[in-house]
Structure formats: structure tokens, C-alpha cells
Amino acid sequence: MNNSKFKLSIVLPLCLLIYLAVLAYLGFDTFKAGKFLKYFGIIAGGLIVIVLLHVVLRKKEKMREKYRDSETQQYGTYNDNDDERKD
């Protein structure tokens, strides 16, 4: 993957984290009402899901890069073939 592009394993969890922060702000009335366990439980559950999503997407990206590297080494690239034709 090109380094200038944003990776999905970063962008998607970041968007979900912003969404969770907005929901935590909107649900602050629940905290004020004395339902501490419910408020922090929902936030903790959301954070766990976001972290797990990041780990799974990161692992998927690494596997894709590993496969792409091994395929390039095995078969070569079109540029390698072009160099041979010039000789």
C-alpha cells in the first residue's frame, strides 16, 4: 500500500472513537443520574470493540503485504521483464 494513503486500520477505528466520544458526551446525563456502571460500561465496551477492530484490520493488512511481497519475489515484476528485453 502506498504510504501517502491512510490505512483502513487507522481511519476506521479513529472514526469510531470520535463517534464514541460524541455518544459519551450526549449520554453524560446518564452519568449525572447516578448510573455510573451503565455509562462507563458502554464506553468500555465500545473501546474494547474499537481496539479489537484495529488489531484485526492491522493483522489483515500485514498478511496482505506479506502475500504481495512473496508473490513479487516468486514471479517478478513487469519491470524486470522489460529490462531483459532491452538486452
Side-chain angles (χ1 to χ4, degrees):
M1 210 176 216
N2 192 356
N3 290 336
S4 65
K5 293 183 180 180
F6 294 106
K7 294 187 177 187
L8 186 64
S9 65
I10 300 295
V11 173
L12 188 60
L14 184 62
C15 291
L16 289 174
L17 190 62
I18 293 169
Y19 174 74
L20 182 64
V22 169
L23 286 182
Y25 175 76
L26 293 176
F28 194 66
D29 293 336
T30 305
F31 178 76
K32 287 180 182 177
K35 298 179 183 177
F36 305 114
L37 185 61
K38 180 179 179 181
Y39 180 76
F40 288 116
I42 291 172
I43 293 173
L47 286 174
I48 290 170
V49 168
I50 291 170
V51 168
L52 289 175
L53 177 67
H54 172 70
V55 169
V56 168
L57 288 176
R58 184 73 179 150
K59 184 176 179 182
K60 185 178 175 182
E61 286 176 356
K62 284 185 179 183
M63 288 176 61
R64 185 178 298 138
E65 288 173 7
K66 182 179 175 184
Y67 175 74
R68 187 176 297 141
D69 290 342
S70 68
E71 187 176 82
T72 303
Q73 289 175 354
Q74 184 178 3
Y75 297 112
T77 62
Y78 289 114
N79 292 336
D80 293 337
N81 293 336
D82 290 340
D83 291 337
E84 292 173 4
R85 290 181 188 170
K86 289 179 181 178
D87 291 336

